[in-house]
Amino acid sequence: MSQIVPGPIESYLSGLSRAPDEVLQAVARQGEELGLPIVSRELGELLHLLVGAIAARRVLEIGTAVGYSTLWMARALPADGMIITMEVDESRAAAARQNLADAGVADRVSVMVGDSARLVTKVSGPFDLIFQDGDKQQYESLLDPLADRLRPGGLLVTDNVLWNGEVVPGFVTQATRNHAHTVALRRYNQRLASDRRFLSVFLPVGDGVALAMKTAES
């Protein structure tokens, strides 16, 4: 249970959401069984909505895992749309490719394997939406290259910005998350909030999500 949103409210909101279909449920179960940090269902729904709302055709994702968030976004793309998603672990990337093929969206997704800091230099924009959910200690260093590859009016979506509440000093009495990641996320949040290239909002969805729209002037 999240420490960010009270349990009864979280349960109420979850009850208002449509249940994911069997394909999404199966991918979510796989991620949970492997102990992987897949996104919440609520964030998956939000990503799907955002891709459709801005009529995105090109999406970049940092952190594929087994392809759960990728699948949510791929289903919102037009037939000629494309997601480039980056995963550091070869076995996870292989599982993601299989899951996306089973879901019938493999033709819309290119899975790259390796360190995202290196792989980002190999892709060019502009992208309509970028979803950042990889190594938390790389969030801040990736901000400039990701901003450069995002079109004006495009969205940078970042997961885990509240880190189960641990980014708030004193809020959590018994920390359970990696402290170095907590410090890195605090720095990233401050940097993003003050970055004049973006209009940003931070939301208590899932483990905390930041939505940043690149301004036309940047």
Side-chain angles (χ1 to χ4, degrees):
M1 187 69 69
S2 168
Q3 297 195 65
I4 299 172
V5 179
I9 294 177
E10 191 175 64
S11 297
Y12 173 76
L13 294 175
S14 179
L16 295 177
S17 299
R18 298 176 183 174
D21 60 36
E22 292 182 1
V23 175
L24 281 165
Q25 290 183 52
V27 179
R29 281 195 302 272
Q30 180 187 35
E32 291 164 0
E33 289 167 0
L34 292 172
L36 298 178
I38 62 172
V39 303
S40 66
R41 185 181 81 182
E42 292 77 14
L43 180 50
E45 293 170 334
L46 179 60
L47 289 168
H48 183 91
L49 184 151
L50 291 172
V51 169
I54 67 171
R57 305 181 78 85
R58 297 192 76 224
V59 173
L60 176 63
E61 178 181 45
I62 311 296
T64 317
V66 292
Y68 183 65
S69 53
T70 321
L71 178 53
W72 275 107
M73 293 187 288
R75 285 182 165 181
L77 286 173
D80 62 346
M82 175 57 66
I83 295 177
I84 297 174
T85 182
M86 300 174 179
E87 172 55 48
V88 70
D89 185 271
E90 177 64 60
S91 63
R92 296 180 190 178
R97 289 190 185 102
Q98 186 61 58
N99 289 332
L100 296 164
D102 292 344
V105 296
D107 59 329
R108 302 177 202 174
V109 183
S110 174
V111 182
M112 301 178 69
V113 181
D115 178 63
S116 55
R118 177 179 59 84
L119 293 179
V120 162
T121 66
K122 298 180 180 298
V123 300
S124 58
F127 291 96
D128 303 299
L129 184 145
I130 298 175
F131 178 46
Q132 177 158 233
D133 191 27
D135 185 340
K136 311 313 168 193
Q137 290 182 275
Q138 290 187 345
Y139 273 20
E140 188 175 12
S141 62
L142 282 173
L143 183 57
D144 287 342
L146 294 183
D148 290 343
R149 288 160 176 77
L150 188 65
R151 69 164 171 83
L155 293 176
L156 172 62
V157 184
T158 308
D159 193 19
N160 303 118
V161 297
L162 294 179
W163 209 225
N164 202 35
E166 293 188 22
V167 294
V168 182
F171 178 70
V172 176
T173 55
Q174 187 68 40
T176 60
R177 302 288 179 89
N178 183 297
H179 180 66
H181 290 179
T182 303
V183 172
L185 285 165
R186 286 175 184 156
R187 286 201 310 264
Y188 175 78
N189 290 343
Q190 290 292 336
R191 170 94 181 273
L192 182 63
S194 62
D195 195 319
R196 294 184 178 275
R197 294 172 296 183
F198 295 99
L199 296 175
S200 302
V201 62
F202 295 79
L203 303 173
V205 175
D207 199 23
V209 60
L211 304 182
M213 183 182 72
K214 186 175 178 180
T215 63
E217 294 79 14
S218 59

